[in-house]
Amino acid sequence: INNRLNAKVDFADVDISLFRHFPRLAAGINNIQVVGTGDFAKDTLFAAKKLDAALNLMSVIRGKEMTIYSVNVDEPRIHAIIHKDSSVNWDIVKPDTSATADTSSKPFSMKLESYSINDGYLQYVDEAGNMSSEIEHLNHSGSGDFSADVFTLKTKTAAGAVTFNYGNIPWLYKTKLNVATDIQADNKTSKYSFSNAKVLLNDLELATNGFFQLVNDSVYNMDISYSAPSTDFKNILSLVPAVYQKNFASVKTSGKALFNGFVKGVYSSSQIPAYNLKLEVKDGFFQYPDLPSPVKNINLALNIDNPDGITDHTVVNMPQAHIEMDKEPFDLRLLVKTPVSDLFVDGAAKGKLDLAAIGKMVKLEAGTQLAGLLNADISASGHMSALEKKQYEQFNAAGAISLANFAYQSKAYPDGIKIPVLQASFTPQNLRISELRGEYLKTNFSANGAIDNILAYALQSKPLTGIVNLKADQLNLNQWMGTSTDTTTKGAAAAPFAVPANLNLTLNAGVDRVVYDKVNLDQLSGTLLMQDETVSLNNLKTNLLDGSMQVNGSYSTKLNKLKPAISLQYDVKGLDVEKTFAAFNTVDKLMPVGKFLSGKLSSQLNFTGKLGDNMMPDLASLSGNGNLLLIEGFLRKFLPLEKLAALLNINELQSLSLKDVKTYIDF
């Protein structure tokens, strides 16, 4: 198999049984996996706990033609990927370059009667089309006379959680799926037609009609329409995860809704079908019976239309969206056109939102507390090209956002996050933060600055740029990074922080005290640049260990997310020797004799390497050079000298005075 595929196939063993599917022969392959090669070498295309087939026993004994009646797959995991260059990870069959076909293999007959998938997982990522989906706990079965050219395929499908993202918008999130339908299958044309098929998404039932056709391995033709027979707003409301996952059956609702659409055309790595989605909500209302306040006057009109499958012709139009929470209205509108050639946006948001009232209307996770007053009045209209060319007069943007007395606490953030004040204004150039004050993990911080390109970042995933000035009183990195100074505790290592790829931010920071591992850094100041999946430190200055230090360096997850690359150049002056070797495990490993020294030292060092477990340096990866100057000190409690002093009866050898000792380091 591996000689015929651009992939690596492996399995644990083969299980043959005369009883599992008696009177048919059961043949199972355990723990099978298919791993890609080349650009997909790190991706597992397919893995399954077991592939189990039922065969005709006599056909196996005769060995002339093997007949397969059923195939069952237990716990399959499928990862289908389309890269930005349109290459796909399932195109793994090598072309047949031989002059004559290989006829040595025994033929088999697929007289399939049924198949099933049990507790499957499917992930599909289309980087070129900016689309992805994930299906968890998938159970699917089908039965029919597969040997006939035309037959009826009876199917049942259930999934515990379906997530679908397109254009940076999560259209479905952890949604339950149930489908039971009869499909008219045509083996000659690989066309599968259905009518009045019932699809259940949480509590929303859809009636679907149309067909799906396999043109080849990577091209599909389809014409599918769908609509919701019910006009009850509660069915639409079930698609909101925060509401559906909390005693949804007891929620009181009223209001009308309309939901329909279609998908029609060819889908391939370079083409998408035409599609339309229409959603309307009128006078929506919902309230939990054990919560005091309702959410009411929900009115929404949304139409997403692509008439011909050309992405640039997509139009998203939401002329109105209105909601009232605790008697406070909030209004939105949005129009998006020409997303590829020159994105046009026309949108606005206006209203007040008392965050503390959310807990009175929607059930939050146990232990979650939320408070604060959000006030927004913003609008934007124009083409993105005007912003890219800095023609700000051709792009209208204005408004302000304020947040007062914000507080959030949950299981994930048990210490809580507080933002007493946030004041920001919106202009064509940027989002300007005039004041921000907050507290997290006992760190009190304040900030101001400007964030550029925020619309292109939100709508097109373009790099987010900006300059922010930050001040803080204290910062305990051991708490922020999840590390611990307790070496006796055996816990899970802290996962490295992956630097986002689409950020280009400059942070000018000043912190009164930073705690890292066993070291206190006082009066720290410098510039942090986040760009190209790399964090760079520029001209970082601080006082530590009775001396001073200046640092430049970088931390990058561009090449390896699990073992970040680091570089560091430091210049330290007047550090206390004993405190330094007690604080830094790295220095102790490089120069073990240091633990017997006391006094003051200065040093310059340049090195590169990687971080390993618990975000600590991987000593085997470090290489660099520098120097160390012991200005004034003593060598004492050094066992060889103590023994020599005792043997020769020369007490002066027990404590050796050292001065102006230079050590050049190369490792």
Side-chain angles (χ1 to χ4, degrees), residues 19-53:
F19 304 102
R20 192 162 61 245
H21 297 306
F22 186 82
R24 293 167 178 169
L25 177 68
I29 301 177
N30 298 326
N31 297 325
I32 186 172
Q33 62 178 353
V34 181
V35 180
T37 59
D39 292 339
F40 299 103
K42 297 181 180 180
D43 301 313
T44 299
L45 171 62
F46 174 82
K49 185 177 181 180
K50 189 168 191 174
L51 280 175
D52 189 34

Side-chain angles (χ1 to χ4, degrees), residues 28 67 147 162 167 179 199 218 253 290 304 306 319 358 420 473 518 571 585 610 646 648 659:
T67 304
S147 61
V162 177
V179 183
V199 178
S218 57
T253 68
D290 53 347
I304 303 173
N306 183 293
I358 293 179
D473 57 353
K518 305 173 187 177
D571 184 356
N585 177 61
K610 296 182 182 298
L648 300 178
K659 187 177 182 181

Side-chain angles (χ1 to χ4, degrees), residues 389-400:
K389 298 175 182 177
K390 298 184 179 182
Q391 298 171 346
Y392 301 122
E393 70 281 356
Q394 298 181 19
F395 193 95
N396 298 316

Side-chain angles (χ1 to χ4, degrees), residues 279-296:
L279 171 63
E280 292 183 6
V281 175
K282 292 184 178 180
D283 302 323
F285 168 99
F286 75 90
Q287 182 179 15
Y288 286 89
D290 53 347
L291 294 181
S293 302
V295 179
K296 60 183 181 179

Side-chain angles (χ1 to χ4, degrees), residues 233 237 243 251-254 283-298 323-329 353-354 357-363:
F233 166 65
L237 184 65
V243 178
V251 177
K252 299 177 182 179
T253 68
S254 64
D283 302 323
F285 168 99
F286 75 90
Q287 182 179 15
Y288 286 89
D290 53 347
L291 294 181
S293 302
V295 179
K296 60 183 181 179
N297 292 333
I298 303 172
I323 188 172
E324 293 181 15
M325 303 179 70
D326 200 28
K327 299 181 181 180
E328 290 287 355
L353 184 59
D354 185 355
I358 293 179
K360 301 177 182 178
M361 296 172 285
V362 178
K363 289 196 172 184

